[in-house]
């Protein structure tokens, strides 16, 4: 009887542990397909399968993107140019709003008047990002934070599949895992046909992410166009230009105002007076 009791207790514990595992709010899979265009833009499709239990996730999810990236030329910050193409949940269109939250661009996905069912849901976010190829003297590079580091719950499995333009030859493929500023290498890399695949080898904890870097030979990705160069110039120098123009405008305003009302009229001739007026 004692043996049967022990078996029964073990079965109950196993069931409880299984239920607890399924009861956690966690991202089961985070797959990202990146289509690199010859223009230097990238089209990103994120497929996120998340388990919803009504704790932190009630009406939907937040997807936070960084607002700025480091300029490879000057080392300063340049703003990302995001264009959201579509947002879906469980193969159906899903409402969303876009906001700026601190140093992040936040996509709020879900209906504010509707609670999600407590089960697994799959979100698909598709967007385009302009000018995401970094140009160096000897090579060009795609450097991309695949998952972001803003999630409050673990990611059990993350995968990035990158498709490059025809004729591209990759000279280096590396990835990094962990929190902000941490460069661990818990991933596996393989090439499947013309796609380059990165996959995490262990779960990512809260605030941890996957970042990939693909270096390729020059000449396949088009150099920045005239309009792209103009935008980059404005992004780098726009604030200083506006400040200088404002200063010159203010200086001109004060000068005209002084000439109009502040300057004394010319004085007439001075004659001596020998008696008091």
């Amino acid at each position: 009887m004692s043996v049967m009791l022990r078996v029964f207790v073990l079965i109950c514990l196993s069931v409880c542990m299984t239920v607890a595992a399924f009861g956690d709010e966690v991202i089961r899979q985070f797959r990202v397909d990146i289509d690199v265009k010859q223009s230097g833009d990238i089209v990103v499709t994120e497929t996120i399968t998340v388990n919803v239990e009504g704790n932190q996730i009630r009406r939907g999810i937040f997807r936070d993107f960084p607002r700025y990236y480091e300029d490879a030329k000057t080392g300063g910050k340049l703003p990302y140019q995001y264009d959201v193409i579509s947002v879906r949940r469980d193969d159906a269109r899903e409402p969303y709003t876009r906001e700026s939250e601190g140093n992040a661009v936040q996509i709020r996905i879900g209906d504010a008047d509707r609670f999600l069912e407590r089960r697994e849901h799959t979100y698909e976010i598709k967007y385009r990002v302009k000018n995401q190829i970094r140009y160096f003297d000897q090579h060009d590079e795609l450097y991309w934070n695949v998952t972001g580091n803003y999630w409050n719950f673990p990611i059990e499995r993350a995968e990035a599949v990158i498709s490059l333009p025809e004729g591209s030859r990759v000279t280096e493929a590396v990835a990094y895992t962990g929190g902000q500023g941490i460069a661990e290498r818990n991933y596996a890399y393989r090439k499947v046909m013309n796609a380059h695949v990165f996959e995490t080898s262990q779960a990512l904890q809260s605030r941890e992410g996957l970042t990939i870097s693909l270096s390729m030979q020059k000449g396949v990705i088009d150099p920045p166009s005239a309009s792209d160069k103009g935008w980059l110039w404005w992004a780098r120098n726009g604030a200083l230009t506006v400040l200088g123009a404002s200063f010159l405008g203010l200086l001109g305003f004060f000068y005209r105002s002084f000439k109009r009302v502040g300057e004394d009229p010319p004085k007439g001739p001075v004659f001596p007076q020998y008696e008091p007026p």
Side-chain angles (χ1 to χ4, degrees), residues 27-61:
I27 296 176
R28 301 291 185 199
Q29 183 173 9
F30 199 124
R31 176 188 168 104
V32 179
D33 293 272
I34 303 175
D35 184 12
V36 180
K37 301 299 183 182
Q38 190 172 349
S39 63
D41 298 353
I42 61 174
V43 176
V44 184
T45 303
E46 297 182 354
T47 305
I48 308 171
T49 300
V50 57
N51 187 57
V52 176
E53 291 295 329
N55 299 323
Q56 296 185 66
I57 307 174
R58 298 181 179 181
R59 298 174 177 85
I61 63 173

Side-chain angles (χ1 to χ4, degrees), residues 150-165:
Y150 299 99
W151 298 101
N152 291 326
F153 24 81
I155 302 174
E156 292 183 346
R157 181 172 176 266
E159 182 182 21
V161 181
I162 299 95
S163 300
L164 300 176

Side-chain angles (χ1 to χ4, degrees), residues 255-275:
Y255 178 76
R256 290 194 301 270
S257 298
F258 174 76
K259 294 294 289 185
R260 186 168 57 250
V261 298
E263 189 175 12
D264 293 335
K267 298 181 178 180
V270 178
F271 299 97
Q273 297 183 7
Y274 301 102
E275 295 180 359

